């Protein structure tokens, strides 16, 4: 099995995604293909034997093959035309926005690319903590008491201490 790992993207957890992708090289035994998504949302084919964190922090990845996303997969330009990056499945390893919020799921569904990860609806609901709590309550799961706070409308916190404050998404 040939597994493409997609990682990086425009997220506050960009670097964690890179570290996770590098770590998979030591864990998975199948053939791996690395596809990096940079902050501008460009895709690059990263040579498996050259993947390391310095490649991304230094910008060296920009010398790698630039990929385009089309029906059925990722494509790299060749001297004459283009070639599909051959893989059986894509593993979405993008943390935070772009990966966990459903954007990648939507792209993979739209371009008919088989992938491992939650589908669009599950991603959208689970990425938003309020939606997740409302869904969990609806299906009978007990949830902790919560209060939705807004930056532009400060109101006193009504939940007893100790408490956890987290961003909505």
């Amino acid at each position: 099995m040939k597994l493409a790992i997609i990682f990086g993207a425009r997220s506050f957890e960009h670097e964690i995604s890179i570290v996770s992708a590098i770590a998979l090289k030591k864990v998975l035994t199948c053939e791996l293909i690395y596809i990096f998504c940079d902050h501008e949302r460009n895709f690059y084919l990263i040579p498996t034997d050259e993947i390391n964190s310095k490649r991304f922090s230094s910008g060296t990845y920009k010398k790698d093959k630039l990929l385009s996303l089309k029906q059925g997969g990722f494509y790299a330009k060749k001297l004459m035309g283009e070639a599909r990056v051959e893989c059986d499945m894509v593993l979405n390893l993008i943390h935070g926005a772009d990966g966990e919020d459903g954007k990648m799921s939507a792209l993979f569904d739209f371009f008919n690319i088989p992938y491992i990860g939650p589908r669009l609806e599950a991603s959208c609901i689970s990425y938003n903590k309020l939606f997740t709590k409302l869904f969990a309550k609806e299906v009978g799961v007990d949830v902790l008491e919560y209060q939705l706070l807004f930056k532009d409308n400060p109101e006193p916190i009504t939940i007893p201490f100790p408490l956890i404050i987290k961003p909505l998404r």
Side-chain angles (χ1 to χ4, degrees):
M1 177 172 168
K2 244 186 208 184
L3 183 64
I5 309 293
I6 188 160
F7 63 104
R10 187 185 298 179
S11 166
F12 291 116
E13 299 180 54
H14 177 88
E15 288 77 16
I16 301 299
S17 180
I18 293 170
V19 171
S20 298
I22 293 169
L24 277 185
K25 185 177 177 184
K26 297 175 185 173
V27 177
L28 297 177
T29 56
C30 61
E31 185 176 350
L32 298 178
I33 296 163
Y34 286 96
I35 298 174
F36 177 64
C37 181
D38 69 5
H39 287 288
E40 286 77 43
R41 295 184 173 130
N42 295 310
F43 299 104
Y44 294 88
L45 182 62
I46 307 299
T48 303
D49 58 338
E50 296 177 25
I51 188 165
N52 59 60
S53 57
K54 187 176 179 184
R55 181 177 211 83
F56 306 102
S57 62
S58 68
T60 305
Y61 70 87
K62 290 184 179 182
K63 295 178 183 175
D64 295 322
K65 286 184 183 175
L66 184 63
L67 302 176
S68 59
L69 189 56
K70 296 182 179 187
Q71 198 57 234
F74 290 90
Y75 290 80
K77 288 186 179 179
K78 294 178 72 175
L79 187 58
M80 299 287 243
E82 56 189 12
R84 183 177 169 272
V85 175
E86 294 297 327
C87 69
D88 299 308
M89 185 86 50
V90 176
L91 173 61
N92 179 4
L93 206 59
I94 298 173
H95 295 276
D98 285 354
E100 294 177 48
D101 62 4
K103 288 185 188 96
M104 291 309 299
S105 299
L107 280 174
F108 293 151
D109 287 339
F110 185 81
F111 288 109
N112 198 28
I113 299 170
Y115 64 99
I116 299 170
R119 299 307 182 244
L120 177 61
E121 296 84 0
S123 295
C124 291
I125 290 172
S126 65
Y127 192 67
N128 183 302
K129 290 173 186 68
L130 178 61
F131 293 167
T132 302
K133 283 190 175 286
L134 294 172
F135 179 76
K137 284 172 69 173
E138 181 67 26
V139 296
V141 175
D142 291 334
V143 298
L144 294 174
E145 184 180 356
Y146 64 94
Q147 178 182 355
L148 191 58
L149 302 172
F150 296 93
K151 180 174 62 171
D152 298 332
N153 184 15
E155 54 184 270
I157 295 174
T158 59
I159 299 173
F161 287 92
L163 57 89
I164 299 169
I165 297 177
K166 296 183 91 175
L168 185 64
R169 300 180 309 135

